[in-house]
Amino acid sequence: MNRRSSLISLIAAGALLASLAAVSPALGAAEAAGAGEAAAADHAPGAHERNAHWVAAWTSMPQLTEPSNMPPAPFTQADSVLADTTLRQTVHVSAGGDHIRLRFSNAFGGAVLPLTKVSVALPLDGRAGTGAVREGTTRRVTFGGASSVTVPAGAQAVSDPLDFRVEPGTNLTATVYLATGQASTALTSHPGSRTTSYLRSGDHVEDADLPGATTTDHWYLLSGVEVWSRSSTSATAVLGDSLTDGRGSTTNGNDRWPDVLQQRLAAGTGPVRTSVVNQAAGGNRLLNDGLGPNGLARLDRDVLAQSGVDRLIVFEGVNDIGTAAATPAAQKRTADDVIAAYDQIITRAHALGIRVYGATLTPFGGNTGYDDPDGYREGSRQTVNAWIRTSGRFDDVLDFDRAARDPQNPRALRDSWDVGDHLHLNPAGYRALAGAVPARLFRQTPLPAGFGYN
């Protein structure tokens, strides 16, 4: 290479790094170089480029907050909640990009939800569940150009797009201030966050830390983060219960099985470009309301209306079997109804071009509430799993039953993965579930002819 071409190359490289450093004020100089490499690899689209769309990067299933999961005193009063309160929460995004937007849900609010100020930032040291943010990374979030928004009861609000670089598989901090609070104690939340949130009186939206704040391991109001990404990037939604919500996983550890699956896919060598978003809740059922609306009722909101979703994993049904009466008639009816629910989910998702993967139900042998002495509920589980494996209705099968069961006692979980209740798994067990999901299912391939007919 001659001296002139070398000089031109150096100038071009310097210009590229300078432009990347200006992408987001959330990036320092040292990080800009690393982000530049990631941006070049991901080809993050600009705001007005073609062949780009919004993709869900993090979600939480909205629920009506039970009394035991309300914000602690003094943030819950007799007829209002979160008055003059700053709420800071961290979330783990599974897709990256240069532009983001937030979703706030008032799905179960008993009154309008007035959000006075909202900001985003990078958490200190990139940690989940911290009340501190990295200096200089805080950015104000707007709604229609305004710093505040009022969300009607039963509705949601989507923020304006914000130029803010997030890397896939990292944590993001969202901070909200509510000057007057919500004039109701019917509050929308996701109790099973397995992530610590922070509450402090007064307006501290732009503070770098919240010393003396009250902590609680729940998410409130925030229901989604989206990134502007290439049209080749999509989202995979997971419809599930406590086994997907992460009962038994590590608080602030982000080691639920969907988290581990996302890490596996990101670390792979194949052309996999999908975000895995968790739409599960402890105690949830397919057929009847319980902790949150039933799976059939929430499918539109939690899956079909989510940005960029082209795949769905269904891992739900054990609570339907476990809460139905342990009689032959009741269990036959429940197994038939769960199978019919799967069929409806597949039909509705296929109509929108969404592939649906079915996960077999994991064992609950020995669980006090679900395992009956006559084995009627185990029989239902076997019936449902046989249908998942052999019906051909799902676009593919994830055999979580085979992955998690004890080879010597197939009605039970492996001892080393059982948290002790004989129903839920520990982090090692969740890693096993994630390892049972074939990466090939997430490669971009055309839909087969006739897809969506049923």
Side-chain angles (χ1 to χ4, degrees):
M1 181 182 293
N2 59 39
R3 292 179 61 191
R4 183 173 183 273
S5 60
S6 298
L7 180 61
I8 292 172
S9 298
L10 287 170
I11 293 171
L16 174 61
L17 285 175
S19 66
L20 289 166
V23 164
S24 168
L27 290 172
E31 294 162 288
E37 294 173 5
D42 289 345
H43 304 291
H48 303 292
E49 289 189 30
R50 294 181 178 179
N51 300 318
H53 64 162
W54 289 103
V55 174
W58 171 85
T59 59
S60 69
M61 174 193 151
Q63 297 174 246
L64 176 64
T65 312
E66 307 101 311
S68 61
N69 292 322
M70 291 292 288
F75 303 101
T76 297
Q77 299 296 320
D79 56 0
S80 66
V81 65
L82 300 176
D84 187 30
T85 299
T86 295
L87 166 65
R88 178 164 289 174
Q89 306 175 104
T90 61
V91 300
H92 192 71
V93 296
S94 57
D98 293 334
H99 314 280
I100 65 172
R101 64 185 186 185
L102 309 183
R103 289 182 182 238
F104 289 90
S105 176
N106 194 24
F108 299 97
V112 297
L113 173 64
L115 304 178
T116 309
K117 295 179 183 178
V118 179
S119 70
V120 294
L122 299 180
L124 186 66
D125 300 325
R127 291 183 289 123
T130 178
V133 301
R134 193 184 311 171
E135 292 276 4
T137 67
T138 300
R139 292 289 308 278
R140 187 70 63 87
V141 176
T142 59
F143 302 83
S147 61
S148 63
V149 66
T150 298
V151 189
Q156 66 172 318
V158 182
S159 77
D160 297 332
L162 176 67
D163 296 343
F164 191 96
R165 176 72 188 176
V166 292
E167 300 293 342
T170 60
N171 295 307
L172 175 72
T173 298
T175 307
V176 183
Y177 174 62
L178 300 90
T180 60
Q182 188 168 24
S184 170
T185 54
L187 177 67
T188 303
S189 71
H190 188 83
S193 66
R194 275 88 198 176
T195 306
T196 304
S197 299
Y198 294 76
L199 297 159
R200 188 176 178 192
S201 297
D203 178 4
H204 303 281
V205 166
E206 298 190 10
D207 289 8
D209 200 357
L210 300 180
T214 299
T215 60
T216 183
D217 290 344
H218 309 301
W219 285 314
Y220 300 103
L221 308 177
L222 183 64
S223 63
V225 176
E226 300 178 346
V227 297
W228 184 246
S229 188
R230 292 286 179 190
S231 56
S232 57
T233 299
S234 63
T236 297
V238 185
L239 194 72
D241 49 41
S242 55
L243 285 157
T244 298
D245 204 26
R247 175 75 177 270
S249 64
T250 308
T251 298
N252 298 320
N254 290 310
D255 52 9
R256 313 162 192 85
W257 73 261
D259 300 322
V260 181
L261 174 59
Q262 180 65 53
Q263 295 163 14
R264 263 193 62 218
L265 297 176
T269 57
V272 173
R273 298 181 62 84
T274 192
S275 166
V276 181
V277 292
N278 193 330
Q279 292 286 35
N284 198 242
R285 295 184 288 184
L286 285 172
L287 305 172
N288 297 291
D289 292 352
L291 296 182
N294 66 78
L296 286 173
R298 66 187 183 90
L299 181 69
D300 287 344
R301 181 196 70 188
D302 293 346
V303 178
L304 306 185
Q306 294 297 317
S307 297
V309 170
D310 68 354
R311 290 170 176 82
L312 166 63
I313 296 173
V314 180
F315 180 36
E316 188 160 13
V318 70
N319 291 325
D320 297 270
I321 293 171
T323 57
T327 66
Q331 285 302 311
K332 182 182 186 310
R333 183 169 59 252
T334 299
D336 290 345
D337 288 349
V338 166
I339 289 169
Y342 289 155
D343 191 73
Q344 279 291 303
I345 290 169
I346 293 165
T347 296
R348 289 161 62 185
H350 278 183
L352 295 180
I354 298 173
R355 290 180 168 95
V356 187
Y357 305 142
T360 53
L361 303 181
T362 50
F364 48 77
N367 178 267
T368 302
Y370 286 7
D371 188 19
D372 62 288
D374 295 314
Y376 295 129
R377 292 188 178 114
E378 172 64 13
S380 290
R381 188 180 76 89
Q382 294 292 351
T383 297
V384 168
N385 281 350
W387 188 88
I388 293 171
R389 291 184 178 110
T390 64
S391 69
R393 281 293 281 143
F394 284 108
D395 297 296
D396 219 305
V397 174
L398 315 180
D399 206 340
F400 285 178
D401 170 40
R402 183 182 297 275
R405 71 194 184 198
D406 183 342
Q408 305 305 316
N409 181 17
R411 290 185 48 171
L413 298 171
R414 289 176 183 261
D415 285 343
S416 59
W417 296 343
D418 186 344
V419 296
D421 65 1
H422 311 301
L423 176 64
H424 297 97
L425 297 164
N426 59 25
Y430 289 131
R431 285 195 297 273
L433 295 192
V437 182
R440 61 175 173 79
L441 300 180
F442 305 95
R443 298 191 179 113
Q444 293 294 333
T445 57
L447 294 172
F451 187 92
Y453 177 73
N454 66 353

